[in-house]
Amino acid sequence: MFRSPTSPGPSPGQNRVTCRITPPLPRSCFETFRFESKARIGAAREGAQRLQYQGTQENQLLGRAATGFRLLGDPGSFVVGTAVYLIGRVDGNRRVESVGLHSVESILLADVLGGGIKMLAGRQRPFYDIRNPYNFQLWRGFSSDQFRSFPSGHTITAFAFASTVTRESQFWWPHAGWYVGTIFYGGASLVGVSRVFNNQHWASDVVAGAALGTIVGLKVVKYTHSHPGNHLDQALIKGKTAAPIQFSPVLFSIQF
């Protein structure tokens, strides 16, 4: 029952009804959000297109840098992760073994998931037709590597490695986490940029690969630390000590 200013109050047997109306958000809020989203997407797309201009493609220095970062992402991430594990195994250091083993686990799991999505999505690579970024076809990825653009495999690998190493460093060496994250995530981002430069991937392939690799890396670290008795860790991590890592070159010494 609604009460007007001149109407009598409800009788003792009646219940009072209260109605509250929440005013809608101003239309300008939605328009501003939509405008900003479009602007960011447009800026990312414009940046990717600039990397694919003929003049940019002919830059030999950028070409060599792109090749270096491509190799750094894959197979570089896997090789480094394996090497870190072996160093920890030989030295008997559980912390180093954990970083290496978990990074390799993240890379393998993320690559399997990413490979399945590639086969399913069937997106055409930009080097075949730079004018058509929306060429998807279900299951077409099984026919040829030309249709395995989405998501970027090199970016998946690089970000799986970066997220795992960064998260592990926050457990073992908290004060070094920010520096490690800046270096490894920055390097992984450059791997993604190199794939766009090489016309092997669209910008959205790189974004999707970065998201997938990061999520898998964080999930692997979370699982292994919440389940310290898991079978892989028990079978492959044999170190007895957890001493800090020390690098002692001739001119400087860094301790984590």
Side-chain angles (χ1 to χ4, degrees), residues 18 54 59 80 84 145 164 174 185 204 207 210 230 242:
T18 303
Q54 182 177 357
N59 189 305
V80 172
V84 170
D145 183 68
T164 304
Y185 278 116
S204 54
V207 172
N230 66 83

Side-chain angles (χ1 to χ4, degrees), residues 111-122:
D111 284 350
V112 169
L113 293 175
I117 298 174
K118 282 175 174 286
M119 301 299 181
L120 180 67

Side-chain angles (χ1 to χ4, degrees), residues 92-104:
N93 192 313
R94 292 185 64 86
R95 292 183 180 181
V96 180
E97 282 184 282
S98 297
V99 173
L101 177 62
H102 297 161
S103 64
V104 171

Side-chain angles (χ1 to χ4, degrees), residues 45 123-124 129 131-137 140 202:
R45 185 177 299 171
R123 189 182 197 182
Q124 186 173 268
D129 185 1
R131 299 165 298 177
N132 188 8
Y134 306 109
N135 194 339
F136 291 84
Q137 185 174 323
R140 190 170 59 174
W202 309 94

Side-chain angles (χ1 to χ4, degrees), residues 154-177:
H154 283 75
T155 310
I156 290 174
T157 301
F159 273 88
F161 180 71
S163 60
T164 304
V165 173
T166 302
R167 190 70 184 101
E168 286 282 355
S169 70
Q170 293 172 344
F171 280 106
W172 302 120
W173 312 286
H175 63 283

